[in-house]
Amino acid sequence: MGEPITMGSEGLEVPNEPILPFIEGDGIGPDIWAAAVRVFDAAVEKAYGGDRKVDWHEVLAGQKAFDATGTWLPDETVEAFSTYLVGIKGPLTTPVGGGIRSLNVALRQILDLYACVRPVRWFEGVPSPVKDPGAVDMVIFRENTEDVYAGKELEEGTEDVKKLLEFLEAEFGWDIRPDSGIGIKPVSVTGSKRLIRAAIRYALANGRESVTLVHKGNIMKFTEGAFRSWGYDLVREEFSDVAVSWEDSGGDAGDKLLVQDVIADAMLQQVLTRPGNYDVIATTNLNGDYLSDALAAQVGGIGIAPGGNINYDTGVAIFEATHGTAPKYAGQDKVNPGSVILSGEMMFRYLGWNEAADRIIKGIEGAIAAKTVTYDFARLTDDATEVKTSEFGDAIISHM
């Protein structure tokens, strides 16, 4: 019988049989989840010999939830993640333009999962468009609740947007075209500092050398520029004994963690030309979205890019496949399940089950080295054996 994870004064308290909620996902979600859950259970069994196991608890969201309950995100699903603290999900349907709100964004905002954490590394043998993908080894901390993703938008032509345009012109003299839609970009001290704090703590705990604040503060001075300034303030206020900013050190951090900053557009060049110079990245929401997908492309694509949405204060965390639902491949047992599997690896490390996480990494490295891969890698790899989603899961387990 499973037990819930709890949050104690020293962090997460994880029983030997934790209840972990999962959302299977839409489109290819059932295919990749079926492979992933077998990998997870095998890793736990091999690591702990039956002393630990996971009590998986399915909750609904997306199309499956709508078909069963008439709502895209049932209250019971949100309550389950809030109660059991840690879980995992597949991709969910989100239409472009009109229609339902992004379920992924809704979960992050309702549960205040302020840190989107995206490790980016290369597995030897994975096809890549760059000459030295092995130089990429970064962890992105993307602020998850603010910026233009906050959903504070008014549609062009509505009475509400007309009121706002009139107010902005009357109060601030802002001359905005009357046929404009308007979106608000909130960036707060609270949201910025807690995200940067989490990035610095992660860097210190994992022996990383630097944290880079990525922003567009040369243009958006009071939002993105403020993000940078508040980050440097935080280093002085809370981490002066173990970290130093570029402003205060000129780049010579000695034996301390270096906290530096780079303009967002320059950073997109730097990760291509000098990826070895960067380690942990802390950035605002939209920048983080662009940067994490761009980096994923350098190491094999978003199909194997893991991610987690975490509130380090409450302990609530949802790990997720970072790609879309790919409905044209649904039910074909064809696509790469690597993203959700590696997100599970992240989840086990978050729980402190490092031995199970290590088994997953060993299995993936072994399967890829043996060139036993799904179609996305097989078509770009000489002498590869193309396998189905389920068979790739088998290959990972056999190499643990």
Side-chain angles (χ1 to χ4, degrees), residues 45-304:
E45 172 63 30
K46 290 176 183 290
Y48 306 114
D51 290 337
R52 299 180 187 179
K53 65 178 182 178
V54 174
D55 184 354
W56 299 106
H57 173 58
E58 184 174 12
V59 293
L60 302 180
Q63 190 67 53
K64 191 173 184 179
F66 186 78
D67 292 344
T69 70
T71 181
W72 295 94
L73 183 60
D75 292 342
E76 293 81 4
T77 295
V78 177
E79 183 178 344
F81 284 113
S82 181
T83 298
Y84 299 118
L85 299 189
V86 180
I88 190 168
K89 58 175 281 297
L92 294 173
T93 298
T94 300
V96 176
I100 61 169
R101 179 188 185 196
S102 168
L103 299 175
N104 298 315
V105 173
L107 280 167
R108 295 166 191 167
Q109 292 183 346
I110 293 168
L111 295 168
D112 197 23
L113 305 177
Y114 62 82
C116 177
V117 183
R118 296 276 293 270
V120 187
R121 55 160 290 190
W122 182 66
F123 289 92
E124 187 169 354
V126 172
S128 166
V130 299
K131 291 182 178 179
D132 186 16
V136 178
D137 183 11
M138 303 179 209
V139 182
I140 300 170
F141 279 72
R142 165 190 168 192
E143 204 290 317
N144 227 1
T145 62
E146 299 187 326
D147 201 355
V148 292
Y149 283 69
K152 311 301 184 187
E153 291 187 300
L154 294 175
E155 186 178 1
E156 182 274 329
T158 61
E159 288 302 313
D160 285 340
V161 82
K162 290 176 183 176
K163 290 178 185 177
L164 181 56
L165 288 168
E166 289 169 1
F167 172 80
L168 294 174
E169 184 175 16
E171 293 295 321
F172 302 106
W174 292 1
D175 183 19
I176 300 173
R177 292 187 181 95
D179 58 347
S180 297
I182 299 291
I184 304 297
K185 178 187 175 75
V187 176
S188 70
V189 177
T190 300
S192 299
K193 283 191 173 181
R194 67 180 181 175
L195 183 280
I196 297 166
R197 182 182 296 114
I200 291 173
R201 286 176 174 170
Y202 176 92
L204 291 168
N206 290 277
R208 298 280 185 156
E209 294 183 356
S210 69
V211 173
T212 302
L213 310 177
V214 178
H215 61 91
K216 191 62 178 169
N218 57 327
I219 303 299
M220 293 171 276
K221 298 182 184 299
F222 303 132
T223 51
E224 306 238 347
F227 177 87
R228 169 194 178 276
S229 298
W230 295 329
Y232 283 155
D233 289 345
L234 180 72
V235 175
R236 300 182 189 104
E237 293 163 359
E238 299 184 17
F239 296 99
S240 60
D241 57 330
V242 290
V244 64
S245 71
W246 184 282
E247 282 190 337
D248 294 334
S249 68
D252 183 7
D255 59 355
K256 293 183 178 182
L257 177 74
L258 176 64
V259 181
Q260 59 189 346
D261 75 279
V262 177
I263 301 294
D265 44 352
M267 188 65 177
L268 287 166
Q269 297 180 61
Q270 295 286 330
V271 296
L272 279 170
T273 59
R274 293 191 287 177
N277 289 2
Y278 300 100
D279 206 335
V280 175
I281 295 168
T283 188
T284 49
N285 207 334
L286 183 61
N287 291 333
D289 198 356
Y290 294 152
L291 191 56
S292 55
D293 283 8
L295 275 167
Q298 293 180 224
V299 296
I302 202 168
I304 59 164

Side-chain angles (χ1 to χ4, degrees), residues 330-352:
Q332 295 183 30
D333 196 23
K334 182 180 179 71
V335 300
N336 191 333
S339 176
V340 74
I341 290 173
L342 287 169
S343 296
E345 183 266 342
M346 285 181 68
M347 179 181 69
F348 285 125
R349 291 202 192 279
Y350 184 69
L351 297 178

Side-chain angles (χ1 to χ4, degrees), residues 340-396:
V340 74
I341 290 173
L342 287 169
S343 296
E345 183 266 342
M346 285 181 68
M347 179 181 69
F348 285 125
R349 291 202 192 279
Y350 184 69
L351 297 178
W353 290 19
N354 292 331
E355 298 85 359
D358 290 342
R359 295 280 182 158
I360 293 172
I361 294 295
K362 183 180 178 184
I364 287 180
E365 288 177 336
I368 293 172
K371 299 185 179 183
T372 307
V373 291
T374 48
Y375 84 99
D376 54 325
F377 289 170
R379 63 187 177 181
L380 300 172
T381 304
D382 292 336
D383 302 320
T385 300
E386 181 177 329
V387 295
K388 298 177 180 179
T389 307
S390 55
E391 293 169 336
F392 188 54
D394 294 336
I396 293 170

